[in-house]
């Protein structure tokens, strides 16, 4: 049995066990992947200040995100097709998050449906909404999330149109995978995935198939998705969705202070500084570089969260020290899930928790609310000096 000490260990196992098409779907960014790469390498540019002879007893990583208690401020980000990375992936990830005491966010484009996850968990989860042209379908998703007692609606704002990932086109990504000679050859080496998938509750998009008009099977789903994402989404529509939902709203995909200001005006309970893990606008700044300007603009008027590029507890620590109130991991939990199912997601959370706890202590801090920019060494040009 391999000893797992870091997120990269889980990634190596995930890569061996998961069909190529789904590994590539996860481990890619759009176009040249510049933003995807810089999301992680820019975390490395921040350094931590080691402090000594500080009492480290009585430490805690407990905190709150949107008023909810969390064992550490690290939520699971919404990830489409999670149930293709591992059989019943969304249910397993949600259960791991619940046991650990961190929020789980279910994607609109999940394989397990809202109802599937609600039936298999007891802690409320968050639902991520993509806005679609079919307003009736959007309203029905909102109602289903309310019925499932979801405790926040995460509205993703950066995917009105899809950024291109070359590998998905070349691999013919679909759920379930279409059986071609090359996928069959690949699946032959991923037999464990195949056997588990045979008993999975679902193998197609559970929130959509059978719920949205004109979609009865996965075959026409790709075309439907491309047609259905709403290119006319604007702040008025976001305000209307917020009103229809009536509960806590998190706006995901904010990269510029002007948009943060708009998010405040529609009354967001939190915003997420995110470039979608480098999957949308290639050439955008990494999230961690975009974060300080947004924090400076927002002040304490709402909570600022961040995702994109977090692969360790040290990354979480840097984001929190910069001023974020919460963080999300996408790929880091998918690696665990693909490697070892629910146990692997738990392992990913344990790894991140331990790294966060020990690194925080080595910086001389015992609690999340003691973190500040004074534990960081920030390069003078970190945010970049750009011509106006
Ligand atoms: C495979 C994959 C699928 C994703 N699907 C969604 C999605 O359905 N909805 C969404 O809002 N974000 C989606 N995202 C973006 C994540 O929510 C998150 O912003 C991103 O993964 C953070 O970057 P990280 O993977 O470096 O942690 C997806 C990301 C990945 C890697």
């Amino acid at each position: 049995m391999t000893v797992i000490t870091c997120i990269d260990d889980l990634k190596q196992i995930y890569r061996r066990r998961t069909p190529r098409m789904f590994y590539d779907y996860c481990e890619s960014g759009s176009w040249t992947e510049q933003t995807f790469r810089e999301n992680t390498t820019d975390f490395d540019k921040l350094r931590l200040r080691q402090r000594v002879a500080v009492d480290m007893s009585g430490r805690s990583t407990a905190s709150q995100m949107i008023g909810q208690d969390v064992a550490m401020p690290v939520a699971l980000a919404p990830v489409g097709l999670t149930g293709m990375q591992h059989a019943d992936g969304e249910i397993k990830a949600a259960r791991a998050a619940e046991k650990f005491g961190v929020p789980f966010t279910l994607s609109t484009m999940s394989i397990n449906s809202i109802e599937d996850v609600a039936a298999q968990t007891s802690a409320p989860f968050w639902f991520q909404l993509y806005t679609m042209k079919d307003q009736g379908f959007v309203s029905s998703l909102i109602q289903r999330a309310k019925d499932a007692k979801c405790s926040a609606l995460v509205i993703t704002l950066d995917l009105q149109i899809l950024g291109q990932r070359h590998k998905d086109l070349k691999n013919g990504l679909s759920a379930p995978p279409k059986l071609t000679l090359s996928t069959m050859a690949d699946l032959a080496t991923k037999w464990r995935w195949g056997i588990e998938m045979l008993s999975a509750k679902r193998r197609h998009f559970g929130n959509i198939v059978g719920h949205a008009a004109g979609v009865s099977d996965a075959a026409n789903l790709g075309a439907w998705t491309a047609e259905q994402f709403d290119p006319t989404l604007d702040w008025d529509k976001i305000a209307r969705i917020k009103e229809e939902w009536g509960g806590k709203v998190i706006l995901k995909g904010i990269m510029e202070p002007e948009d943060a200001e708009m998010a405040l005006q529609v009354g967001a309970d939190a915003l997420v500084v995110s470039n979608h893990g480098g999957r949308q606008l290639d050439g955008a700044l990494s999230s961690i570089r975009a974060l300080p300007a947004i924090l400076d603009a927002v002040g304490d008027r709402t909570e600022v969260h961040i995702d994109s590029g977090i692969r360790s507890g040290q990354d979480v620590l840097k984001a929190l020290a910069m001023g974020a109130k919460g963080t999300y991991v996408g790929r880091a939990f998918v690696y665990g899930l693909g490697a070892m199912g629910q146990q692997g997601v738990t392992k990913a959370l344990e790894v991140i928790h331990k790294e966060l706890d020990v690194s925080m202590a080595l910086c001389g801090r015992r609690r999340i609310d003691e973190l500040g920019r004074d534990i960081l060494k920030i390069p003078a040009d970190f945010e970049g000096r750009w011509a106006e």
Side-chain angles (χ1 to χ4, degrees):
M1 170 76 184
T2 327
V3 178
I4 291 155
T5 56
C6 60
I7 295 297
D8 200 54
D9 286 348
L10 291 168
K11 182 174 164 186
Q12 300 314 322
I13 305 172
Y14 162 56
R15 183 178 199 156
R16 288 200 297 276
R17 292 195 173 171
T18 314
R20 186 62 193 260
M21 169 187 298
F22 300 118
Y23 175 84
D24 283 351
Y25 167 65
C26 175
E27 202 48 25
S28 300
S30 52
W31 289 287
T32 70
E33 303 191 328
Q34 178 188 23
T35 300
F36 170 56
R37 283 190 301 276
E38 290 181 359
N39 275 337
T40 47
T41 55
D42 281 347
F43 269 103
D44 299 339
K45 293 181 182 146
L46 292 173
R47 305 292 158 80
L48 295 163
R49 276 161 40 94
Q50 172 175 304
R51 300 298 307 278
V52 295
V54 179
D55 179 359
M56 294 180 181
S57 60
R59 295 190 311 280
S60 168
T61 58
S63 183
Q64 288 199 324
M65 288 172 78
I66 56 160
Q68 294 179 19
D69 289 332
V70 291
M72 61 177 173
V74 182
L76 301 195
V79 169
L81 271 79
T82 294
M84 281 290 123
Q85 303 291 358
H86 191 95
D88 293 328
E90 287 88 359
I91 292 174
K92 287 176 181 157
R95 291 169 76 133
E98 175 174 347
K99 286 218 171 87
F100 206 90
V102 295
F104 169 76
T105 318
L106 183 73
S107 163
T108 295
M109 303 308 290
S110 55
I111 302 294
N112 291 129
S113 67
I114 300 174
E115 294 76 11
D116 295 339
V117 176
Q120 298 290 327
T121 51
S122 43
F125 57 95
W126 297 350
F127 179 65
Q128 175 264 323
L129 182 73
Y130 276 132
T131 51
M132 316 257 177
K133 285 182 200 156
D134 180 347
Q135 291 302 319
F137 179 56
V138 171
S139 291
S140 79
L141 281 172
I142 292 174
Q143 189 55 48
R144 288 167 63 196
K146 281 189 198 177
D147 293 344
K149 310 236 175 327
C150 292
S151 54
L153 188 69
V154 178
I155 309 175
T156 298
L157 303 181
D158 58 6
L159 205 141
Q160 283 162 273
I161 186 168
L162 195 64
Q164 177 170 311
R165 291 182 301 269
H166 303 321
K167 287 179 199 152
D168 290 353
L169 297 178
K170 291 185 171 141
N171 290 335
L173 176 75
S174 65
K178 289 193 187 68
L179 292 182
T180 62
L181 277 179
S182 88
T183 54
M184 283 194 296
D186 181 41
L187 285 175
T189 65
K190 314 286 167 42
W191 54 271
R192 188 197 305 255
W193 178 93
I195 288 171
E196 286 171 352
M197 203 49 85
L198 285 176
S199 59
K201 190 167 172 66
R202 291 184 202 281
R203 286 178 282 277
H204 54 226
F205 295 93
N207 288 327
I208 293 170
V209 174
H211 293 277
V215 182
S216 53
D217 63 48
N220 58 3
L221 198 92
W224 182 85
T225 306
E227 273 167 25
Q228 273 303 310
F229 282 78
D230 181 6
T232 68
L233 178 69
D234 60 16
W235 291 102
D236 288 338
K237 283 196 183 172
I238 296 163
R240 283 203 295 277
I241 293 171
K242 183 178 185 300
E243 200 177 305
E244 188 174 345
W245 168 247
K248 297 255 167 115
V249 164
I250 300 172
L251 295 182
K252 176 171 182 280
I254 305 290
M255 287 292 287
E256 293 294 330
E258 296 95 306
D259 288 335
E261 196 57 49
M262 295 306 294
L264 281 168
Q265 280 178 28
V266 297
D269 296 282
L271 57 88
V272 190
V273 178
S274 169
N275 53 38
H276 216 105
R279 298 165 77 81
Q280 285 294 94
L281 178 62
D282 188 32
L285 278 190
S286 66
S287 293
I288 190 66
R289 274 178 95 184
L291 179 67
I294 292 176
L295 284 164
D296 294 346
V298 167
D300 56 8
R301 290 182 293 165
T302 193
E303 278 184 27
V304 176
H305 300 170
I306 181 174
D307 75 20
S308 300
I310 295 176
R311 302 285 184 275
S312 69
Q314 290 83 344
D315 293 342
V316 172
L317 181 64
K318 289 171 182 175
L320 298 176
M322 192 68 93
K325 173 91 173 133
T327 66
Y328 299 71
V329 286
R331 294 181 181 87
F333 95 78
V334 174
Y335 301 159
L337 179 75
M340 296 156 64
Q342 181 174 333
Q343 206 193 343
V345 179
T346 302
K347 189 74 198 171
L349 290 169
E350 283 170 358
V351 163
I352 290 172
H353 179 261
K354 185 167 182 199
E355 291 168 341
L356 171 62
D357 173 48
V358 173
S359 305
M360 184 168 83
L362 292 172
C363 290
R365 302 297 151 95
R366 283 179 296 194
R367 291 198 319 270
I368 299 294
D369 62 5
E370 291 174 357
L371 299 177
R373 288 190 197 177
D374 54 346
I375 68 160
L376 293 177
K377 284 187 182 287
I378 306 171
D381 61 348
F382 186 62
E383 289 177 63
R385 288 168 46 131
W386 313 102
E388 288 300 312

